[in-house]
Amino acid sequence: MTKQSPALDNLLTESRTFPPSEEFAAKANATEQWYADAEADPEAFWERQAERLHWQTKWSQVLDWSNAPFAKWFVGGKLNVAYNCVDRHVENGHGDQVAIHWVGEPGDTRDITYAELHREVCKAANALLSLGVTANDRVAIQLPMIPEAIVSMLACARIGALHSVVFGGFSSSALRSRVDDAEAKVVITSDGQYRRGKAMPMKANVDEALDGADTVEKVIVVRRVGDDLEGGVPWTEGRDVWWHDLVDAQSDEHEPEAFDSEHPLFILYTSGTTGKPKGILHTSGGYLTQVAYSHHVVFDHKPGEDVYWCTADIGWITGHSYIVYGPLANRATQVVYEGTPNTPHEGRHWEIVQNYKVTIYYTAPTLIRTFMKWGSDIPAKYDLSSLRLIGSVGEPINPEAWVWYRKHIGGDRCPIVDTWWQTETGAIMISPLPGVTHAKPGSAQRALPGVSAKVVDNDGNEVPRNGGGYLVLDKPWPAMLRGVWGDEQRYRDTYWAQYAEQGYYFAGDGAKYDADGDIWLLGRVDDVMNVSGHRISTTEVESALVSHPTVAEAAVVGATDPTTGQGIVAFVILRGGVAEDEAGGEKAIQELRDHVAKEIGPIAKPRQIMVVPELPKTRSGKIMRRLLRDVAENREIGDVTTLADSSVMDLISKGMKSRS
Ligand code: PRX
């Protein structure tokens, strides 16, 4: 496994604990007993959790693992996911409860009740049906954080079509490869999006992506920015249709059909260790059961009382599970915010917490560190006393950030839940239970009741206390991925080949037990970087770089970064014949950074590009990223004995040109 950084060593000497308050514990949704109950009979435990949903037909078997690693949960059960997230709350007399307090970046707002959400989802479902979308078809969605994004996802779920949401910041080529891989029939997008106070184009990006994409029959366009967008909206007659023309004209009634528990719900692409993103496939009954269960216990959510806010974008799994499916299945009232946290000022989040009396706030360490940088005087200006629980997700949270978060946002009273999970796990797997766990800054601590995780060595043996190794999930769980879209072998190879003998799921994360047996996550052990909580593969960025005409070869590493967790550092060898002053200069490096943004998206822009004469390679030709990481992190260079040519590192250190 990769070498531990000093920050992580630091993290592991952390010894403070924060017990829950008696007041919180007295009303908590879960108790210590849940662990024992789940362990005594996991299947009975999950059955009880499945009962929080409405099933048209009950299952006949809880888990079928006979065709491992392909699981079937709640076999024979039938349900409609959208009905569970919307209709049943209206039928149970909660139609007037606000489901979404939506806040637009320019300051416009919309409160949407469950009854309204129901009408909108029915209309959108009818709209998709009118375009010929049927169960099992794929619909790609690239939208900003506007209500139509949630409505579109639920409309797909309602008719059994799979959505594939593509983050709004992804480039046209990233969108195109996802549209092609899933063979999407319809794309839903918007004219543009507000970003830091400006209307930016979105439809233009989609049009560029769809040039020649022959599976796409229709593009539905939401009007979000209208006349604010310079240059207007490109339009293809016969293919493009405005959301307001199509959806508003539909009936607001639609009878939901119950689908099999294993009916596919969505595909979400995530970076793996190769250049090609993987389409992670999730299905219906097990997924909804576990996202609803975890949202209930980890956030201690009380329907009708709490105001919940998860700051993620729906383009990521956190948005899918903890903005759309979990909270809505649990009848949450939630805030959805469209914009960036410093528009128009750095107190925007705290102003929203104050205005809507938010009680549960869930965000990412990178943002917490940014808030720290902006200064604690900013949250201090707002009334945050409504908050009662705060959470973190996406990367290890360093104890300093944890303690700052607890003090300056949580008022020294709110429990913090540090939740570990992945696109693949679908739902939170490891987290403190608020009201139960004595929290430790920097540790996600323990698998949730019903979930089983272990830290093992190379051979699959569990490591002792204070020992480090790899995180595995040793039992199937309801929200687990059901495969990689169109690539069964890749599913087996990526997650199950490492510990084939034991049948463990390999998460790709390093981890450690402390003296109490609590789990500490130590970051990825593969070639996946974590930048601001976003997964980006080194190979993906390398491919983007070498697709530029001036680049002969490229190697990319994730270097520790105080704000973003990791920053992307690229080492490039230029093509012969490219003159130094032509390609080695500031301008050329900027051009390469922009090129990566264009190929993948702005989140993948290297923080730093270094032009080097050679790359360190082993005799078999494998690039030794470990050594490049030493250079990128300004450390003494480690062991070079396995290099084919050990003088290369001297050349790099001496000859590299560094630009930020
Ligand atoms: O390395 C782990 C890190 O994020 C990876 C999963 O990324 P993604 O699929 O994009 O999902 C992010 C949101 C669930 C993991 O393999 N990670 C996520 N949460 C934590 C974390 N690392 C440490 N602590 C966490 N709480």
Side-chain angles (χ1 to χ4, degrees), residues 264-286:
L265 182 61
F266 64 85
I267 306 167
L268 183 59
Y269 288 83
T270 189
S271 291
T273 50
T274 72
K276 188 172 177 265
K278 297 175 286 208
I280 302 300
L281 176 67
H282 283 287
T283 62
S284 305

Side-chain angles (χ1 to χ4, degrees), residues 317-318 393-396 418-424 509 521 524 530 535:
I317 191 67
T318 311
V393 60
E395 53 175 313
D418 172 4
T419 60
W420 178 89
W421 58 296
Q422 307 177 300
T423 306
E424 292 87 341
D509 278 28
L521 278 312
R524 303 286 310 188
N530 190 329
R535 264 164 76 168

Side-chain angles (χ1 to χ4, degrees), residues 282-448:
H282 283 287
T283 62
S284 305
Y287 172 80
L288 197 63
T289 295
Q290 196 176 340
V291 294
Y293 153 69
S294 52
H295 179 262
H296 178 75
V297 296
V298 173
F299 300 110
D300 192 49
H301 175 258
K302 316 267 200 276
E305 293 174 27
D306 278 309
V307 179
Y308 166 87
W309 183 14
C310 164
T311 70
D313 189 285
I314 49 128
W316 311 114
I317 191 67
T318 311
H320 283 59
S321 300
Y322 297 106
I323 293 177
V324 182
Y325 293 111
L328 295 177
N330 287 345
R331 188 168 53 85
T333 292
Q334 67 177 319
V335 167
V336 173
Y337 172 54
E338 179 187 34
T340 44
N342 52 352
T343 307
H345 57 81
E346 291 170 348
R348 187 71 192 264
H349 275 208
W350 318 124
E351 184 179 72
I352 293 173
V353 168
Q354 173 179 286
N355 288 349
Y356 288 96
K357 298 196 167 34
V358 171
T359 58
I360 304 168
Y361 178 81
Y362 187 34
T363 195
T366 184
L367 199 53
I368 298 168
R369 292 191 295 264
T370 304
F371 292 142
M372 282 172 78
K373 219 165 55 183
W374 291 345
S376 49
D377 53 317
I378 293 171
K381 287 190 215 138
Y382 299 90
D383 178 6
L384 306 182
S385 62
S386 56
L387 289 172
R388 65 181 198 89
L389 183 141
I390 53 181
S392 165
V393 60
E395 53 175 313
I397 176 166
N398 39 317
E400 302 80 68
W402 195 102
V403 169
W404 186 92
Y405 192 32
R406 181 175 158 102
K407 179 159 179 222
H408 295 287
I409 308 302
D412 262 335
R413 75 181 175 276
C414 299
I416 297 183
V417 287
D418 172 4
T419 60
W420 178 89
W421 58 296
Q422 307 177 300
T423 306
E424 292 87 341
T425 68
I428 297 170
M429 303 294 280
I430 306 177
S431 165
L433 270 187
V436 178
T437 312
H438 290 226
K440 292 177 185 170
S443 170
Q445 295 186 274
R446 193 170 168 187
L448 289 182

Side-chain angles (χ1 to χ4, degrees), residues 78-150:
K78 282 192 192 313
L79 80 171
N80 184 286
V81 170
Y83 174 88
N84 272 282
C85 292
V86 186
D87 306 40
R88 65 175 174 142
H89 307 317
V90 179
E91 287 171 15
N92 292 338
H94 301 291
D96 292 338
Q97 182 185 323
V98 171
I100 299 168
H101 290 296
W102 179 76
V103 183
E105 194 186 79
D108 47 340
T109 60
R110 264 176 85 183
D111 282 349
I112 301 167
T113 63
Y114 273 98
E116 285 166 317
L117 185 61
H118 177 242
R119 289 195 288 273
E120 292 301 314
V121 172
C122 286
K123 284 197 285 184
N126 285 326
L128 289 173
L129 290 171
S130 78
L131 299 182
V133 177
T134 54
N136 292 307
D137 281 344
R138 274 83 58 204
V139 174
I141 300 174
Q142 189 174 43
L143 279 172
M145 288 293 289
I146 54 177
E148 287 81 357
I150 298 173

Side-chain angles (χ1 to χ4, degrees), residues 232-247:
V233 187
W235 205 257
T236 304
E237 283 306 329
R239 184 196 69 180
D240 300 348
V241 49
W242 284 108
W243 174 284
H244 55 264
D245 286 339
L246 174 74
V247 178

